[in-house]
Amino acid sequence: MEQELKLHEAEYRFACIIWDNEPLTSGELAQLCLKQLNWQRTTTYTVLKKLCIKGFFKNENAVVTALIKKEQVQQYESRKVLENLFDNSLPVFLTAFMSGRKISEDEAAQLKALIDQHQESDDEHAA
């Protein structure tokens, strides 16, 4: 069973501070949260404890590090959006996302390369 990697918006912003600055002391984290989120030290420590219990971070000897990478949370959340809002259809999602939006030639080339990289081959279907 897939691990629940859901973070609420405020938790995600908090987690980004850790991901962008780890390893950091809990005191440094509290200072960053005061500056970036306008959180008091008690709020920072409460959220940190909650996310440590959920397995996202580790606070050992007052040094905070991530156990779950930012990319893992982004993959989980994007899959959930695709499942819940777009019937797990990437084309339906992209149609909704791209509606009325233009992309550069460079972005189009990057997307084409990404599609080619992840496209199933006929060999995979035969296996």
Side-chain angles (χ1 to χ4, degrees), residues 30 39-48:
W39 285 6
Q40 296 303 313
R41 182 176 296 270
T42 53
T43 304
T44 297
Y45 291 156
T46 299
V47 175
L48 177 59

Side-chain angles (χ1 to χ4, degrees), residues 112-127:
K112 288 175 186 171
L114 186 62
I115 290 168
D116 288 345
Q117 179 183 352
H118 291 278
Q119 185 173 7
E120 293 179 354
S121 68
D122 288 339
D123 293 340
E124 291 177 44
H125 286 296

